[in-house]
Amino acid sequence: MLAGVTASEPSTSASSVEAAAPSGNPVRTAAFFDLDKTVIAKSSTLAFSKPFFNQGLINRRTVLKSAYAQFLFLMSGADHDQIDRMRNYITKMCAGWDVEQVKSIVGETLHDIVDPLVFAEAAELIADHKLCGRDVVIVSASGEEIVAPIARALGATHAMATRMVVEDGRYTGDIAFYCVGENKVAAIRALAAREGYALQHCYAYSDSISDIPMLDAVGHPTVVNPDRALRKEAVARGWEIRSFSRPVPLRDRIPAPSGAAVATTAAVGISALAAGALTYTLLRRFAF
């Protein structure tokens, strides 16, 4: 596989040629992508609120709460406190759910839900890294039942995500592995050891201040759509800053499930107007 530039050589493109290992062989490298607001324009978990409601997993009040949580997620930075609140909210919401039912819902609705949300810039960057011979790894705090299918649809090599405790086929509401902060780094290092990645030549992309450890663990960190705290940190450290804003249809990348409805074509933005419109629409649709 191809690798990236040497540690002393700056890189601003995923197409850089990388150094060879002492053996003369190219070093193995990977590009690690956060998911929510980096690759897709929403919280991947909350994006499935409507199909979860349709299948009876959540009620109308929970849909409204999810819309509000999504609005806050879009409008503010995902600091540690917000991540903890989101974790507590989602684990409480999922307690008692049948795991196979969740997988089935995600599989049947993935095309419709994800299709309008993937940033074109992220899709192009993922393709660029793959053309350079790098593995692509999606690393997300969302649940593995949601992250893994999205990662496959994007053509990623690996997915690392939060794992819930399951007993008798149902979520208990407890977390077995929370894929955030230092836990992300531990998972990345374990994967790097297993796959032989040279982290000093690897790439990482994230929007959140909570991912400073992940960005700091690789040789080529890039912040994407950063929150205020991360932007300040990136400027201080001299990290590259990118803006992703163009969702792109991925019908050619995501196999349409049997009996799936025609995918929606409305692009979901991250502006206050778009988030407000989403909340307003759900409030009217599910008013009670």
Side-chain angles (χ1 to χ4, degrees):
M1 298 180 69
L2 298 178
V5 296
T6 60
S8 60
E9 186 178 356
S11 171
T12 57
S13 169
S15 60
S16 302
V17 177
E18 295 184 298
S23 63
N25 297 322
V27 297
R28 292 201 66 197
T29 57
F32 300 93
F33 287 82
D34 178 46
L35 182 60
D36 300 346
K37 291 171 66 177
T38 301
V39 175
I40 65 175
K42 295 178 69 175
S43 160
S44 51
T45 299
L46 297 179
F48 285 88
S49 294
K50 182 67 182 298
F52 288 161
F53 168 78
N54 289 339
Q55 293 295 319
L57 290 178
I58 58 178
N59 57 29
R60 293 178 180 179
R61 184 177 296 275
T62 304
V63 172
L64 295 179
K65 288 181 179 179
S66 295
Y68 180 65
Q70 186 71 263
F71 175 82
L72 294 179
F73 180 78
L74 292 171
M75 293 300 102
S76 61
D79 59 20
H80 293 287
D81 289 341
Q82 183 183 7
I83 287 173
D84 285 341
R85 289 195 298 270
M86 186 74 75
R87 176 197 61 190
N88 292 336
Y89 170 76
I90 291 174
T91 53
K92 183 178 179 181
M93 179 179 70
C94 296
W97 287 7
D98 183 273
V99 176
E100 291 306 315
Q101 184 182 9
V102 171
K103 291 180 179 179
S104 176
I105 292 171
V106 172
E108 287 296 320
T109 61
L110 182 67
H111 185 76
D112 292 329
I113 298 296
V114 176
D115 190 70
L117 299 180
V118 178
F119 289 122
E121 300 92 337
E124 292 163 3
L125 187 58
I126 287 171
D128 193 7
H129 279 296
K130 292 177 67 178
L131 284 173
C132 290
R134 301 185 189 101
D135 286 356
V136 171
V137 185
I138 302 298
V139 192
S140 176
S142 293
E144 62 181 355
E145 289 80 9
I146 290 175
V147 175
I150 294 176
R152 286 194 296 269
L154 292 167
T157 317
H158 301 286
M160 294 185 288
T162 294
R163 297 190 304 275
M164 302 281 287
V165 175
V166 176
E167 291 182 0
D168 298 324
R170 295 182 180 274
Y171 299 116
T172 66
D174 296 320
I175 294 178
F177 173 73
Y178 191 33
C179 193
V180 69
E182 293 292 345
N183 287 346
K184 275 191 179 183
V185 176
I188 286 171
R189 287 176 176 158
L191 180 65
R194 186 166 68 249
E195 297 292 336
Y197 301 144
L199 287 178
Q200 69 270 29
H201 298 300
C202 288
Y203 296 72
Y205 303 86
S206 178
D207 70 288
S208 174
I209 188 67
S210 67
D211 279 333
I212 285 287
M214 178 179 81
L215 294 166
D216 206 31
V218 301
H220 305 289
T222 297
V223 302
V224 175
N225 299 337
D227 54 42
R228 183 178 301 177
L230 181 57
R231 180 177 293 275
K232 181 179 179 180
E233 190 72 21
V235 170
R237 295 178 181 233
W239 289 347
E240 182 180 1
I241 300 174
R242 295 195 183 192
S243 177
F244 293 171
S245 60
R246 297 183 294 116
V248 60
L250 292 181
R251 290 185 180 89
D252 294 337
R253 296 173 182 266
I254 304 177
S258 171
V262 176
T264 178
T265 58
V268 179
I270 61 171
S271 66
L273 178 61
L278 170 65
T279 305
Y280 176 75
T281 300
L282 287 172
L283 284 170
R284 292 196 60 187
R285 183 175 299 174
F286 297 104
F288 52 101

